Amino acid sequence: MIGLISATAAGAAARDRLAAAWPDRTRVYEGPAGEAVRAAFAECDRLVCFLATGATVRLLAPLLGDKAADPGVVCVDEGGRFAVSLVGGHGGGANELAHEVAELLGAEPVVTTATDAVGLAGLDTLGLPVEGAVAAVSRALLDGEPVVLEAESAWPLPPVPFAGQGAYTVRLTDRAVQPRADEVLLRPPSLVVGVGASKGASVEEVLGLIEEALRDAGLSVRSVAELATVDAKSEEPGIVAAAERLGVPLVTYPADELAAVSVPNPSDAPLAAVGTPSVAEAAALRRGGELLVPKRKSAATPAMATCAVLRRPGRGRLAVVGLGPGARDLLTPRAAAELRRASVLVGLDQYVDQIRDLIRPGTRVLESGLGAEEERARTAVAEAREGHAVALIGSGDAGVYAMASPALAEASDDIDVIGVPGVTAALAAGAILGAPLGHDHVSISLSDLHTPWEVIERRVRAAAEADIVVTFYNPRSRGRDWQLPKALAVLAEHREPGTPVGVVRNASRPDESARLTTLAALDPASVDMMTVVTVGNTATRNIAGRMVTPRGYRWQHAPEGAR
């Protein structure tokens, strides 16, 4: 929960904007500022104070304790010009909150955390539990000193500029080891604990068994990703409470699925009780991995709980990112976040140039020229299979005539795939032209490099006969100059010569150009590969210089009050 505190009418107005935008995330604290800050500090995860920074510091000073536990605090000035991350930038989430608040209020985010200021991913922001000399190793990274990554397993980490050798170390491990004075430990969520329990088993017995099994195997409890059990035990209080205390999800499986898992220590007792010869081992092994701790029983007499521990291999992460049509303000926040998240970026060289300033230090960039789409897709998938966090970029939406389909044709279920949508060229052009896509519409690429012209022509003819608005991608190049005239001729068999046609080149870019013409007047020679051509249907009109397709055929003839 985010506590909101203000002391003046101007602050209250901005405060109320946040409260209205985030009704489920915020709580307004009324009354004197000092009392409100104290109450919010005790009850909330983060605070936004619409107060002067000096006043906020004085109110916070006696409340501050441990930076790992204190809430993050953002301070917004009376004029709403700046959102300052004041306390708990990383651990308390204030840096991220400052950006969110600034975006909503139209303010400037102010983040002074050293790593954020220079674009480095902070070691405590990598999404993994961290131990050891975080400050010293972070300072070494900031100073350009070599820091070595020792990864005991592959894991899709965000970018950090690691070196081959150096005095400082970041070690990725799920083993129960203590960090050296010059070392940071990162704990990957690689351990799955399968759990079985008799009815009425206490949380102390279940949790004690888990902790003992991990300790004896030399494994860190901070790397436990989940507890797993059979569906029949999904509400067993001791198991549910153990998962809550560990702060991990409880995953359950049907008995018949667990019965199909081959285990080293099957038993008749669980088979009779819940329908599977194994609960703990089978639940741990259900999704694959290395069994580190076979089934063991709790020490109580009679034993009421069993557990088994498995190490799950790290899964690479492939984000297929649409960059939009070119303008930076049409790059979505989610796309920008994925670019910062990636340790490997794969893309066409000219698209990489568009977003090079967003790439964090330590990101490995693999760029290539036109015509290497399949090679880029294979490269991105191969890098993800190596355990990296990969961003494969494309213009517009990566799933529309771009990199998503060749990449997903290569990818199997051994990596995680995240799709990040982008604003397409058709949408960007449509917004410039007016509202040409107000009813059914279709996009058709006129490039016959990968699709036979006979197939393309059949699709154009179907769209023409169905009276659907058509946007042509890849309409004309120096080597392909006859396809657009042919496609327009097919449309002309079913549409009037005066049908509106919109022509937009480099939509949203500095050299953007747009014009509205007609099906009969369009000169194909004026079109190139940077252009999209949108041809209206029989209902599309030129209204005040804008291309408009009504929402429906009945709608355009309805009385004014019925629209």
Side-chain angles (χ1 to χ4, degrees), residues 124-317:
D124 52 354
T125 68
L126 300 183
L128 302 179
V130 60
E131 304 169 24
V134 175
V137 176
S138 296
R139 190 179 306 114
L141 287 167
L142 287 167
D143 291 343
E145 297 184 45
V147 175
V148 180
L149 174 65
E150 293 181 0
E152 296 178 3
S153 61
W155 208 265
L157 292 175
V160 177
F162 292 118
Q165 56 183 349
Y168 295 91
T169 303
V170 172
R171 184 159 34 143
L172 183 78
T173 180
D174 58 18
R175 294 187 296 115
V177 294
Q178 293 299 312
R180 302 187 301 266
D182 56 359
E183 183 178 59
V184 165
L185 301 182
L186 294 177
R187 300 298 192 182
S190 55
L191 304 179
V192 177
V193 180
V195 181
S198 301
K199 185 176 181 179
S202 68
V203 61
E204 288 77 17
E205 183 170 351
V206 174
L207 193 57
L209 172 63
I210 293 171
E211 292 174 343
E212 179 185 76
L214 293 170
R215 184 170 57 250
D216 290 351
L219 299 170
S220 171
V221 70
R222 301 191 74 185
S223 279
V224 174
E226 64 189 39
L227 299 192
T229 190
V230 67
D231 280 351
K233 296 296 178 179
S234 62
E235 298 181 0
E236 185 63 42
I239 296 178
V240 172
E244 290 175 350
R245 291 195 190 179
L246 290 171
V248 299
L250 175 62
V251 178
T252 66
Y253 300 101
D256 59 344
E257 289 188 14
L258 297 186
V261 178
S262 178
V263 298
N265 299 292
S267 173
D268 292 334
L271 180 61
V274 294
T276 172
S278 172
V279 173
E281 287 182 336
L285 285 163
R286 173 62 182 81
R287 291 166 58 192
E290 177 188 5
L291 190 63
L292 302 180
V293 179
K295 182 180 73 174
R296 61 188 293 170
K297 298 180 180 180
S298 55
T301 305
M304 299 281 283
T306 60
C307 83
V309 182
L310 172 134
R311 176 181 286 137
R312 186 177 293 168
R315 289 171 62 87
R317 186 177 192 276

Side-chain angles (χ1 to χ4, degrees), residues 482-508:
W482 59 268
Q483 287 88 345
L484 179 59
K486 177 63 176 175
L488 294 173
V490 171
L491 290 175
E493 295 174 13
H494 299 270
R495 299 182 193 179
E496 296 295 327
T499 300
V501 175
V503 180
V504 181
R505 187 177 190 278
N506 283 332
S508 87

Side-chain angles (χ1 to χ4, degrees), residues 39-63:
F41 195 91
E43 298 169 358
C44 296
D45 302 315
R46 290 176 289 176
L47 280 66
V48 180
C49 298
F50 295 87
L51 306 166
T53 53
T56 306
V57 167
R58 292 187 182 92
L59 293 173
L60 289 174
L63 305 176

Side-chain angles (χ1 to χ4, degrees), residues 413-479:
D413 62 359
D414 57 344
I415 61 174
D416 295 326
V417 177
I418 298 91
V420 182
V423 177
T424 67
L427 294 177
I432 294 165
L433 293 170
L437 309 182
H439 204 287
D440 298 335
H441 53 276
V442 63
S443 295
I444 298 177
S445 171
L446 294 183
S447 172
D448 56 359
L449 295 178
H450 300 289
T451 305
W453 173 253
E454 294 76 14
V455 174
I456 297 172
E457 182 176 357
R458 187 165 65 247
R459 292 170 179 171
V460 174
R461 191 170 300 280
E465 292 173 352
D467 198 29
I468 296 175
V469 175
V470 182
T471 296
F472 289 124
Y473 279 71
N474 305 313
R476 186 177 182 274
S477 68
R478 282 177 293 183

Side-chain angles (χ1 to χ4, degrees), residues 4-8 10-13 15 28-33 36 48-51:
L4 305 179
I5 301 102
S6 64
T8 67
R15 176 202 69 191
V28 173
Y29 285 80
E30 304 280 5
V48 180
C49 298
F50 295 87
L51 306 166

